[in-house]
Amino acid sequence: MTTSVISADTTPGAATAARGSIELRQVRKTYGDVVAVDELDLVVQPGEFVTLLGPSGSGKTTTMMMVAGFEEHTSGSVLIDGKPVDALPPRERNLGVVFQNYALFPHMNARENVEFALRMRKIPRAERRERAEAALERVGLGGLGGRRPRQLSGGQQQRVALARSLVFNPAALLLDEPMAALDKRLREHMQEEIKTLQKSLGISVLFVTHDQDEAMAMSDRIVVMKDGRIVQSGPPEEVYAHPLTDWVASFLGDTNLVPCTVLERHGSEAVVDLGGLGIGRVQDRGVVGERYAVSIRPEHLKFRPGAPEENGGTGTMVSSTNLGATIRHRITAGGHELQLRELSSESTGRSGAAGEVHVGWDAANAQLLVLEG
Ligand code: ADP
Ligand code: MG
């Protein structure tokens, strides 16, 4: 079993009050014809953990590079702790940085790697050494300071990188896919440790991942990016439960998307035509006659004893896969392939059975989403 090795107590001199706001105002970056980031407005509050989540090429790294000062923006402004830093080189922005491609120096041992940033800042040797040891201790590498990177595991190397980013007591941390190279188990472990560390330091973090589970697990707020723009931003539960578009819904976990047309509205309820699945009801508003998608998460699709009159239909089982804790069923109904997920412990034994099944959902669990594609 793994245990938490990152120390939760604060080092002497480390500020424990929340600090380190980051603000982007209308930040834009173009490379020739390519618009990598487009008029981005974003505020990370002191002590907040904000994650940029988006597919490859959505502008996450470019955004981080501009905040760090490694890349100049085409227009807009970046502020740290309320002060514009556009004219400041990276070293003077007081940010700790762990980027995926920001490797350790192979010819230096762990402690020298951590000390490097302090050497650049002209900190006296004895103090440097003391602070580097303390930072290594904090990430659970006390006693391993003499090892070269190749004598450390991938996880330990990432810890050195983390220690290096923390050693000068930065206002905020920028972490760009810091765990991409680690296996699943180690990654989950590091996720918890980074959260613990962030809370004990009261430091704000701007984090990047393309992994929605990681974003859900770590963030106070998720900022979903697509094509250099923010498509939605909010607490993880909110973005998951109330995606604004069909694209966000399917990017943030599995979902069943059924195209529909709004037939009529009664207050906040809309009656929709689900094609082969008949009539549905949703709580969200919509414009009568317009096309949308109804989204039903696989955990909200349920087997029904009989054919539902609305919000569901009758179909046939395609496959059932036991995933351990849950069972995933694929069902075709009304011309749609639907996914139904149930807890293995609550399964009623339909697993593997072929033939007709009735499935449905509660109106409260269905959402009308704008089609984005
Ligand atoms: P992400 O980190 O979300 O995968 P990036 O910020 O790396 O996305 O890239 C955003 C867009 O900008 C992509 O279309 C990418 O090809 C482009 N881009 C990034 N860096 C450069 C560069 N140095 N020159 C040209 N285009 C670039
Ligand atoms: Mg990237």
Side-chain angles (χ1 to χ4, degrees):
M1 275 316 287
T2 45
T3 50
S4 183
V5 294
I6 288 181
S7 143
D9 30 81
T10 48
T11 39
T16 46
R19 65 208 157 97
S21 72
I22 299 171
E23 185 174 354
L24 287 90
R25 288 189 190 157
Q26 290 284 297
V27 171
R28 183 177 159 89
K29 176 71 184 178
T30 56
Y31 295 104
D33 293 342
V34 178
V35 182
V37 172
D38 204 4
E39 278 143 33
L40 207 76
D41 281 311
L42 175 69
V43 179
V44 181
Q45 300 292 351
E48 197 181 16
F49 196 114
V50 174
T51 297
L52 303 180
L53 172 68
S56 179
S58 57
K60 306 181 299 294
T61 293
T62 305
T63 302
M64 299 295 263
M65 299 284 273
M66 292 188 290
V67 175
F70 298 136
E71 197 71 77
E72 223 176 296
H73 42 274
T74 311
S75 58
S77 186
V78 176
L79 297 91
I80 294 165
D81 278 333
K83 294 182 204 77
V85 294
D86 305 300
L88 294 182
R91 199 182 305 160
E92 289 170 33
R93 296 190 179 199
N94 196 23
L95 297 168
V97 172
V98 181
F99 284 1
Q100 198 186 334
N101 56 358
Y102 198 59
L104 300 175
F105 297 113
H107 60 286
M108 293 182 190
N109 67 30
R111 200 192 60 243
E112 288 162 345
N113 264 284
V114 176
E115 270 187 53
F116 187 75
L118 300 175
R119 228 162 72 198
M120 301 306 287
R121 285 170 172 76
K122 308 262 194 290
I123 309 274
R125 191 192 174 92
E127 185 188 340
R128 247 167 35 205
R129 188 166 179 133
E130 195 179 314
R131 283 172 67 176
E133 296 285 6
L136 285 168
E137 190 78 41
R138 175 177 279 289
V139 298
L141 291 180
L144 296 185
R147 290 210 194 163
R148 295 274 174 92
R150 65 180 159 74
Q151 297 169 310
L152 297 167
S153 70
Q156 288 172 327
Q157 290 181 32
Q158 268 321 75
R159 288 170 204 271
V160 176
L162 201 56
R164 184 176 63 177
S165 75
L166 289 168
V167 74
F168 52 89
N169 200 13
L173 276 185
L174 305 180
L175 308 175
D176 188 348
E177 311 230 9
M179 294 169 283
L182 307 181
D183 66 50
K184 185 173 170 356
R185 217 177 127 175
L186 192 52
R187 200 164 67 222
E188 286 173 358
H189 186 52
M190 286 293 285
Q191 286 169 5
E192 287 164 23
E193 297 199 344
I194 287 176
K195 277 301 282 184
T196 305
L197 193 64
Q198 183 242 347
K199 282 190 192 138
S200 72
L201 291 173
I203 199 170
S204 43
V205 174
L206 186 57
F207 188 84
V208 161
T209 185
H210 63 270
D211 178 338
Q212 65 271 21
D213 292 339
E214 190 163 281
M216 291 289 298
M218 300 189 76
S219 321
D220 295 321
R221 195 151 51 92
I222 293 179
V223 173
V224 186
M225 288 187 70
K226 187 190 179 206
D227 301 332
R229 288 172 177 273
I230 295 173
V231 289
Q232 188 167 357
S233 160
E237 323 76 56
E238 187 189 301
V239 179
Y240 184 80
H242 303 288
L244 292 177
T245 69
D246 58 340
W247 186 85
V248 176
S250 50
F251 187 68
L252 240 87
D254 290 329
T255 196
N256 295 295
L257 292 169
V258 182
C260 69
T261 307
V262 173
L263 296 177
E264 52 187 273
R265 267 175 44 192
H266 307 285
S268 66
E269 191 187 69
V271 179
V272 296
D273 177 357
L274 298 166
L277 280 174
I279 295 297
R281 271 173 211 279
V282 283
Q283 277 305 310
D284 317 61
R285 285 163 181 276
V287 177
V288 173
E290 291 280 306
R291 299 278 293 162
Y292 295 89
V294 166
S295 165
I296 308 116
R297 296 278 182 199
E299 62 269 30
H300 290 142
L301 189 66
K302 305 285 180 194
F303 288 113
R304 300 287 199 223
E309 282 176 18
E310 54 184 34
N311 294 334
T314 298
T316 50
M317 210 66 144
V318 176
S319 66
S320 295
T321 310
N322 194 326
L323 303 170
T326 61
I327 299 176
R328 182 184 64 211
H329 304 280
R330 292 191 194 282
I331 295 146
T332 43
H336 299 283
E337 179 157 311
L338 302 174
Q339 223 191 96
L340 183 155
R341 215 178 249 255
E342 61 180 353
L343 292 174
S344 305
S345 57
E346 289 172 8
S347 173
T348 43
R350 282 182 192 80
S351 177
E356 209 177 64
V357 285
H358 311 294
V359 292
W361 58 88
D362 294 338
N365 290 328
Q367 276 169 325
L368 200 62
L369 302 180
V370 172
L371 292 172
E372 190 188 354

